[in-house]
Amino acid sequence: MIDPIKLEVLRHALAAVAEEMNADLVRTAYSPNIKERRDCSSAVFDPQGELVAQAESIPVHLGAMPFSVAAVLRAIGDWEPGDVAVLNDPYCGGAHLPDITFVAPVFWGETLVGFVANRAHHADVGGMAPGSLPSSAREIYQEGLRIPPLLLWRRGELNREVLDLIVANVRTPHERLGDLRAQYASCQTGIRRLQELAGRHGEKLLWAGMGAIVDYAERRMRAALAQLPPGTAEFVDYLDDDGIGTEPLPIRARVTVGSGRIEVDFAGTAPQAAGPVNAVFAVTASAVYYTVRAVADPTIPPNAGCYRPIAIQAPEGSLVNPRPPAAVGGGNLETSQRIVDVLLGALAQLVPERVVAACQGTMNNVALGGLDPRTGKPYAFYETIAGGLGARPFADGIDGVHSHMTNTLNTPIEALELAYPLRVLCYEFVPGSGGPGKYRGGLGLRRDLTPLGHVARVSLLTDRRRTRPYGLAGGQPGAPGKNLLIREGKEIELPGKLTLELHPGEVLSIRTPGGGGYGDPAERDPKAQARDQLEGRA
């Protein structure tokens, strides 16, 4: 038995290790995508590779990261101090190719006391389009460089040949080197801090504490699930298309709650798609873990124990568990969001007081690249754009925020225009985009970009352009998003997923969806209605 106070101190200390790792990664990164948008995550694992603590950063990274650590442990059996492994292969523990994961063992003396890991979204990892998220990809080979689990550092020595291979296959080698070194530095921070904890408490107490923290999270999750009314509910929602065809793709889930457990079955979901919207199982599991914890009790420590009472059935060869070599770039980004929408739609039938209306349901992925006329060198810019948060059972949704599986920031205009030959011409809320209800959905955003002195190649991976974020309890759906090309003052509507060339003087306008409303609009407070009119929400 461990003293409860000491255990709580240790639990927060391990979480602080992950948070400091992430802070160092953000602080030392080169790319605006990591430095400004904070598109990265960090975590601590026990010697068996079980998740113990994480930074509160990107849900789609963190729920999938244990699969990466497990893949690394299977591939590399003989660890030594100074080793650092790297991988990004979605079919071997990764999520999608731009997300590169580092895993490093932590030794106290000759004893392995755990692992630290981080994941960062790199703005380009090669492939057929700048940003490595081509909307027309049919195979993963078109999406960029695949890195299986391997050692990039061995006993503290950099494997220069592997690093040279990586940077030779990307458009922006200098930026990639900077971000990879930032990930390495983050791991070194985690190693030092975990060693300090081993020195302070002893490795035996540290091991015991890790196990107790994981067991504690499991007990809390089982207790939280036991408080939910038992039952089964089904829900189906749709992706607009896969970027290749135009048919909507159904994601169906049956959720069963009872006896302190929850089971999610995706039978009836569309077969894997021709386009790049397939979500590997690690991404699907990540979306399920996030949703269940958010509804059951978001204060439960997010670790391996928290997820033990969750069972997932995802048919092999489906949109939520594809077979290689299916393209998967957008599965991590768009399909993960729709999985959350589907699960919340089902859980709203069981615990309506705990579930928000649908948020924007897309990450609005925009990738641009070309030759920077200022330097003559290639550049690659990537960002996701916020939208409306769904209305809550007790309050309006929030305007212009990232929701659910993404927890990033919008790129500040100043940082964007400094780093890239681009100009932001408009950045504002989309009036009236939130769904009406007793509580209104949050507003979407409008962001207009134009290239300066060059032709930019643009890839868009967006959704909710045809389907709308649903409302709950009588609330109305939020407005769908729009992608527009503005040429000589004329607005040309674009599909949600495409690649195009953007010339100087042309404007790409992304208008993101609003959140769904909650409750009967006739019950909205008159003062709130007047404020809606004043602020352009109605």
Side-chain angles (χ1 to χ4, degrees), residues 73-88:
L73 266 60
R74 287 193 299 268
I76 303 167
D78 181 23
W79 292 96
E80 297 185 55
D83 290 351
V84 180
V86 63
L87 76 156
N88 76 342

Side-chain angles (χ1 to χ4, degrees), residues 40 54 69 184 290 333 337 344 372 409 458 482 485 488 491 494 497 510 520:
C40 58
Q54 66 180 43
V69 174
Y184 178 79
Y290 160 81
L333 304 162
Q337 295 285 63
L344 289 177
D372 190 333
L409 304 175
V458 181
K482 284 185 179 182
L485 174 64
E488 297 179 351
E491 294 186 350
L494 303 172
K497 302 170 185 69
I510 307 296
D520 187 346

Side-chain angles (χ1 to χ4, degrees), residues 326-340:
V328 299
N332 181 74
L333 304 162
E334 298 302 297
T335 307
S336 67
Q337 295 285 63
R338 192 64 71 257
I339 292 169
V340 174

Side-chain angles (χ1 to χ4, degrees), residues 302-340:
N303 60 41
C306 177
Y307 307 139
R308 285 173 184 166
I310 304 171
I312 305 169
Q313 299 295 326
E316 189 175 355
S318 71
L319 192 63
V320 294
N321 189 11
R323 297 185 183 96
V328 299
N332 181 74
L333 304 162
E334 298 302 297
T335 307
S336 67
Q337 295 285 63
R338 192 64 71 257
I339 292 169
V340 174

Side-chain angles (χ1 to χ4, degrees), residues 339-492:
I339 292 169
V340 174
D341 290 340
V342 170
L343 296 177
L344 289 177
L347 288 166
Q349 301 168 42
L350 302 175
V351 281
E353 72 281 1
R354 297 191 182 199
V355 177
V356 300
C359 300
Q360 66 162 335
T362 173
M363 295 192 196
N364 302 294
N365 303 275
V366 180
L368 293 92
L371 287 178
D372 190 333
R374 302 170 300 181
T375 64
K377 296 180 179 180
Y379 77 93
F381 163 69
Y382 168 76
E383 73 169 343
T384 61
I385 304 176
L389 188 79
R392 296 157 284 180
F394 53 87
D396 290 350
I398 301 171
D399 302 330
V401 293
H402 292 268
S403 53
H404 294 323
M405 297 310 288
T406 177
N407 193 27
T408 54
L409 304 175
N410 292 330
T411 312
I413 292 174
E414 298 85 353
L416 190 159
E417 294 185 343
L418 178 65
Y420 305 108
L422 304 169
R423 179 153 296 156
V424 178
L425 301 179
C426 181
Y427 187 32
E428 64 185 18
F429 292 126
V430 179
S433 53
K438 179 178 180 180
Y439 300 107
R440 292 191 66 89
L443 300 179
L445 285 178
R446 174 178 173 176
R447 192 147 162 112
D448 291 5
L449 288 168
T450 189
L452 300 177
H454 74 293
V455 177
R457 193 172 180 204
V458 181
S459 291
L460 298 180
L461 269 175
T462 67
D463 212 83
R464 291 292 197 202
R465 268 48 186 174
R466 290 190 285 172
T467 62
R468 302 175 67 181
Y470 58 77
L472 287 177
Q476 299 301 302
K482 284 185 179 182
N483 303 332
L484 300 171
L485 174 64
I486 304 175
R487 178 186 293 156
E488 297 179 351
K490 296 180 180 179
E491 294 186 350
I492 304 168

